[in-house]
């Protein structure tokens, strides 16, 4: 591991426009379950039945009951872990420019990163399916499901459900960041959901070094990424930062 960390540090030392692409794996140590793999949400549920736009339109009360209400409780309790804080420190050092995240938990912003592209939207806000008004999630009373807006419309997370478009601004900004970056850190994502999974491909094609932090290999490993640190993000990012700071 020490050797792999040293190689990653070598890449990051000279970087000025590094970008991180993050996924559910980075938030596991904050108590938020991932989607795939052991203990993943999709082990217990079929995503198309509770996290697709069709399911939401057909039976919003069920989607709230099975998925959204629990997620609200879990995300409200969650705090950034050493992985999030490591990426914030990397920004403070002038190395990391942008975080592109598939997560909707807002933990990168809480950790201190200032340029965060929320590729799959955010759970911090709910949007009325009737009038489009937005309300902060922590203000929503979920004792009667589904919660409704003052206009009577159903509230839904301002996040991307299966079958929905990625917010166009996020798509454009993520592509620009990937094209410009010198190093891309791919942290805690299985890299199987498109179009997020093609963001590191763009970076690689433009000459960036792609480094994964993931205990498991992904379809990117060895093809798009030149290096994988095979460990938990909250363990390896502090080690990486310590090594980086000792060598500057
Ligand atoms: N540190 C880093 N990575 C980890 C850790 C950890 N402690 N624990 C697990 N992982 C890795 C797993 O090996 C896996 O590759 O994190 C990844 C989590 O993958 P997914 O659960 O598929 O999460 P993600 O890639 O973010 O999913 C993408 O799929 O369901 C949709 O919209 C949802 O944004 C999500 C998208």
């Amino acid at each position: 591991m020490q050797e792999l960390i040293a190689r990653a540090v070598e890449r990051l030392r000279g970087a000025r426009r590094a970008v991180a692409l993050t996924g559910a794996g980075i938030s596991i140590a904050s108590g938020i379950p991932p989607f795939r793999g052991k203990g993943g949400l999709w082990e217990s549920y079929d995503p198309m039945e509770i996290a697709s736009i069709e399911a939401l339109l057909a039976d919003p009360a069920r989607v709230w009951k099975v998925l959204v209400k629990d997620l609200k409780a879990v995300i409200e309790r969650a705090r950034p872990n050493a992985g999030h804080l490591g990426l914030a420190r990397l920004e403070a050092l002038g190395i990391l420019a942008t975080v592109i995240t598939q997560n909707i938990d807002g933990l990168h912003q809480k950790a201190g990163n200032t340029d965060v592209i929320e590729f799959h939207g955010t759970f911090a806000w709910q949007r009325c399916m009737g009038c489009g008004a937005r309300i902060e999630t922590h203000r929503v009373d979920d004792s009667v499901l589904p919660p409704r807006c003052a206009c009577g419309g159903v509230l839904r997370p301002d996040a991307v459900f299966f079958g929905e478009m990625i917010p166009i601004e996020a798509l454009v900004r993520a592509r620009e960041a990937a094209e410009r970056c010198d190093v891309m850190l791919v942290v805690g994502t299985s890299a199987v959901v498109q179009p997020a999974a093609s963001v590191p491909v763009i970076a690689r094609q433009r000459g960036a070094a792609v480094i994964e932090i993931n205990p498991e290999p992904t379809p990117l490993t060895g093809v798009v990424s030149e290096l994988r640190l095979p460990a938990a993000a909250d363990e390896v990012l502090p080690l990486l930062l310590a090594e980086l700071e000792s060598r500057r």
Side-chain angles (χ1 to χ4, degrees):
M1 179 62 93
Q2 207 48 44
E3 162 67 17
L4 293 173
I5 289 177
R7 280 169 61 195
V9 164
E10 220 31 68
R11 290 299 200 184
L12 283 167
R13 246 157 53 114
R16 285 293 166 269
R17 293 184 309 275
V19 168
L21 171 69
T22 66
I26 196 168
S27 290
I28 291 175
S30 295
I32 302 176
F35 298 97
R36 295 169 190 78
K38 222 171 114 260
L41 276 177
W42 305 155
E43 210 175 45
S44 322
Y45 303 110
D46 175 350
M48 291 306 149
E49 281 186 18
I50 58 158
S52 68
I53 183 64
E54 289 80 11
L56 183 65
L57 292 172
D59 195 347
R62 177 160 182 274
V63 170
W64 263 94
K65 194 161 162 248
V66 177
L67 179 70
V68 183
K69 189 171 173 161
D70 283 356
L71 218 47
K72 180 174 184 291
V74 168
I75 291 178
E76 273 170 7
R77 269 200 312 270
R79 296 290 169 264
N81 64 61
H84 300 105
L85 296 172
L87 292 183
R89 180 75 190 137
L90 214 49
E91 177 181 323
L93 292 173
I95 293 173
L96 185 71
T98 300
V99 177
I100 304 167
T101 188
Q102 298 164 85
N103 301 343
I104 57 174
D105 54 35
L107 292 178
H108 289 300
Q109 294 91 326
K110 281 198 178 135
N113 283 108
T114 59
D115 188 29
V116 180
I117 301 173
E118 294 182 303
F119 207 75
H120 290 163
T122 177
F123 196 81
W125 292 83
Q126 301 290 317
R127 192 170 80 227
C128 173
M129 290 165 78
C131 72
R134 289 167 94 233
I135 171 170
E136 281 177 288
T137 300
H138 70 88
R139 295 184 192 282
V140 170
D141 173 8
D142 59 7
S143 53
V144 177
L145 298 180
R148 291 181 184 273
C149 171
C151 84
V154 169
L155 293 174
R156 57 156 292 176
D158 204 6
V160 177
F161 279 58
F162 283 104
E164 293 191 296
M165 279 278 294
I166 304 298
I168 196 73
E169 197 198 333
L171 208 52
V172 170
R173 291 208 54 233
R175 169 173 280 273
E176 281 171 3
E179 285 174 350
R180 274 202 318 265
C181 70
D182 35 24
V183 174
M184 179 166 283
L185 292 176
V186 180
V187 188
T189 177
S190 56
V192 294
V193 173
Q194 293 292 0
S198 61
V199 169
V201 179
I202 297 170
R204 179 74 207 103
Q205 283 170 342
R206 290 298 181 106
V210 178
I211 300 170
E212 286 182 274
I213 297 179
N214 196 318
E216 304 293 333
T218 75
L220 302 174
T221 309
V223 182
V224 173
S225 68
E226 60 175 52
L227 200 61
R228 177 172 67 92
L229 306 181
D234 62 304
E235 287 166 18
V236 85
L237 272 161
L239 298 176
L240 192 69
L241 264 298
E243 181 69 18
L244 191 61
E245 295 195 62
S246 75
R247 294 231 248 139
R248 272 163 76 90

